[in-house]
Amino acid sequence: MPDALQVIEPATEAVLDTVPRAGTAEVDEAVARARGAFPAWRALTPSARAEHLRALVVVLEEHHEELALLEARNAGKPIGDARGEIGMAIETFRYYSAAPERLLGETIPVAGGEAFTVREPLGIVGLIVPWNFPLTIAAWKLAPALAAGNTTVLKPAELTPLSAIRFGELALEAGLPEGVVNVVAGPGSTCGKRLVEHPDVAKIAFTGSTEVGRSIAAGAAQTIKRVTLELGGKSANIVFADADLERAAAQAPGAVFGNAGQDCCARSRILVEASVLDRFMALLEEHVSAIRVGDPLDPDTQMGPLISAAQRASVASFLEDGDPVAFRGSAPDGAGYWFAPTILGPVARDARVAREEVFGPIVAVLPFADEADAVALANDSIYGLSGSIWTRDGAKALRVARAVDSGVLSINSNTSVRVATPFGGFKQSGYGRELGPHATDAYSEVKSIYFSTS
Ligand code: NAD
């Protein structure tokens, strides 16, 4: 019997729940269940698999509020945000419920016969997810993996296992066969590592830190596993002097203080054309000072606590580097891993806060001289995940969007993720793409078949 994993509520620091802590033995059991379920799941007709995913959507919709509450309490996120995130998870299953019937191949002209391709599932896929968007990120992986005919072992982060565990129960309630979705809640160092090393696991889809991503890529190499990695970011929000500054400043806080900054897409560097720096800073401060930090279950709350004491200490260390503090907001006292929204700026280009992922509510503001300088500064990073460009000059917006080395960019908007469009990083933000019409490619192999007509 595994020992217990205590789940803490970040807003109160109290124990929210206690669940069995999975270890290597539980991973092996889960993989064995997934292996047992694979032949029948793979053999289902496309329409039958689609029907299962549609049934899952119905059950998830019935439990939307329950899952949102669980996520809000376990991850410390505002209830309104949690509702939206669970909504996106459900939308992801809805989107991929159409995919089993659209796993298309090609016919290829060759001599002496006919050649064509088909898509085959990989087999058992291991899905390792972080604590910042627990069920949403799990859904990005589960939905296309299941649609493509794989069976799955999902490992949530040890800090936020509750929505994944509940999801596993709901999948059974929706009628998915035993063993198609397996959840192992345990530490990365044992449970995650075993999943990466397990010889029966064909692929690891990982979202998390760049550091752990490196070790996963290395570990997976031993058994030539397929790997997709969604890693860290240091995304730039580029504000040109000709932008609608009011709108850019109003939206910037959401793009970096959303989820208390614990967002891989956080635009934690705001690059501002030097000629409008003072005006933009004043507008930004006005909007950041209006952020309501507090109880995640209060519907008016816009920012909750950080996930843990360790995360708060890591974020706080960025205040010790001596960068100029332009604004520091307020946060509740007492229990809870609170951290006030903070603007640092103007900061130097080599400052740690300008280069490293903070994963908390601190934004660094940096001035730039012109378009070329903005692009150079945006690209001066080991990361390349997301970003925004604010300007009224459409041609400039498109030039900059093409020149910035980043997987996802938005123009005059702070959004990054849509179910229907590909999401993923350049450079050390990872490789592979999730979401969008091609995500099933990452969970299937191309098989080429030649049929002789001679
Ligand atoms: P993390 O890398 O510490 O952990 C992520 C997951 O990996 C957890 O489930 C953890 O238990 C597991 N893990 C840890 N060590 C492991 C090992 N040796 N082998 C196998 N699994 C292991 O990340 P985190 O702290 O949970 O999340 C924050 C990070 O995730 C940030 O860097 C953030 O940028 C990144 N992130 C990226 C995206 C994206 O889509 N690019 C999205 C969200 C978060």
Side-chain angles (χ1 to χ4, degrees):
M1 185 64 187
D3 61 338
L5 187 66
Q6 279 199 335
V7 182
I8 304 296
E9 183 165 17
T12 61
E13 301 182 38
V15 176
L16 176 61
D17 204 350
T18 303
V19 300
R21 183 200 306 263
T24 53
E26 286 71 28
V27 171
D28 289 354
E29 286 163 20
V31 172
R33 284 194 302 274
R35 193 176 164 183
F38 177 60
W41 183 249
R42 169 192 201 164
L44 283 180
T45 62
S47 63
R49 223 162 38 236
E51 189 53 45
H52 273 301
L53 292 176
R54 284 195 291 270
L56 183 57
V57 168
V58 171
V59 170
L60 291 174
E61 276 173 339
E62 286 164 8
H63 294 269
H64 191 151
E65 187 62 18
E66 176 202 339
L67 289 166
L69 198 56
L70 208 54
E71 207 81 305
R73 293 192 69 185
N74 192 177
K77 54 181 75 227
I79 184 68
D81 292 1
R83 287 187 183 116
E85 287 171 28
I86 299 300
M88 190 196 199
I90 296 170
E91 190 50 35
T92 305
F93 283 104
R94 192 195 321 278
Y95 182 81
Y96 288 105
S97 69
E101 295 169 289
R102 289 167 176 69
L103 294 170
L104 305 180
E106 296 167 307
T107 55
I108 300 166
V110 290
E114 300 293 341
F116 59 97
T117 62
V118 291
R119 289 243 160 223
E120 303 286 10
L122 299 173
I124 301 156
V125 295
L127 314 174
I128 301 179
V129 299
W131 43 258
N132 57 343
F133 299 106
L135 194 58
T136 306
I137 289 178
W140 298 355
K141 302 179 191 319
L142 283 161
L146 295 172
N150 303 279
T151 54
T152 59
V153 179
L154 168 65
K155 196 205 88 59
E158 48 272 51
L159 294 173
T160 54
L162 300 184
S163 56
I165 292 172
R166 187 70 184 121
F167 175 84
E169 295 165 357
L170 294 174
L172 289 175
E173 199 177 311
L176 263 72
E178 286 273 352
V180 169
V181 173
N182 303 275
V183 179
V184 285
S189 57
T190 53
C191 221
K193 189 163 175 286
R194 177 64 185 152
L195 207 46
V196 171
E197 290 170 353
H198 201 298
D200 290 348
V201 173
K203 170 184 170 136
I204 295 290
F206 172 76
T207 298
S209 60
T210 296
E211 189 188 345
V212 173
R214 263 183 217 112
S215 79
I216 286 184
Q222 295 307 312
T223 45
I224 318 292
K225 282 186 179 51
R226 281 78 187 124
V227 178
T228 44
L229 299 173
E230 301 284 0
L231 309 175
K234 189 71 201 174
S235 299
N237 192 350
I238 307 171
V239 182
F240 285 98
D242 63 1
D244 179 343
L245 291 185
E246 195 27 84
R247 206 168 138 233
Q251 291 202 20
V256 58
F257 299 124
N259 212 38
Q262 303 164 120
D263 182 348
C264 54
C265 291
R267 277 96 164 133
S268 57
R269 294 185 292 159
I270 304 182
L271 316 184
V272 185
E273 194 158 353
S275 59
V276 294
L277 180 66
D278 291 345
R279 186 160 133 63
F280 183 82
M281 288 286 268
L283 287 168
L284 183 65
E285 181 178 327
E286 193 184 311
H287 289 287
V288 174
S289 63
I291 296 175
R292 292 184 295 273
V293 184
D295 177 7
L297 301 186
D298 179 339
D300 289 332
T301 292
Q302 293 172 307
M303 196 181 110
L306 295 174
I307 191 73
S308 65
Q311 188 63 19
R312 182 169 59 184
S314 157
V315 173
S317 76
F318 284 90
L319 296 183
E320 290 158 17
D321 295 347
D323 299 300
V325 178
F327 174 77
R328 187 131 168 79
S330 59
D333 292 325
Y337 307 120
W338 305 102
F339 196 93
T342 303
I343 306 172
L344 300 182
V347 307
R349 295 181 179 203
D350 59 356
R352 191 165 67 99
V353 74
R355 311 196 70 79
E356 292 182 14
E357 185 176 45
V358 177
F359 229 55
I362 299 181
V363 69
V365 181
L366 291 88
F368 66 83
D370 54 22
E371 182 180 329
D373 191 33
V375 170
L377 187 51
N379 285 341
D380 182 18
S381 173
I382 61 165
Y383 298 112
L385 187 56
S386 191
S388 290
I389 299 152
W390 293 86
T391 172
R392 288 190 171 94
D393 180 339
K396 179 162 68 181
L398 282 179
R399 280 196 306 272
V400 174
R402 292 300 303 265
V404 171
D405 299 328
S406 182
V408 187
L409 283 161
S410 50
I411 296 167
N412 296 330
S413 156
N414 68 6
T415 56
S416 294
V417 184
R418 285 174 182 74
V419 173
T421 58
F423 175 73
F426 281 27
K427 302 193 276 187
Q428 292 189 37
S429 289
Y431 45 75
R433 291 291 178 272
E434 300 196 299
L435 300 174
H438 305 298
T440 46
D441 292 357
Y443 293 94
S444 57
E445 296 280 17
V446 175
K447 183 182 280 175
S448 178
I449 298 176
Y450 173 72
F451 198 138
S452 169
T453 50
S454 64

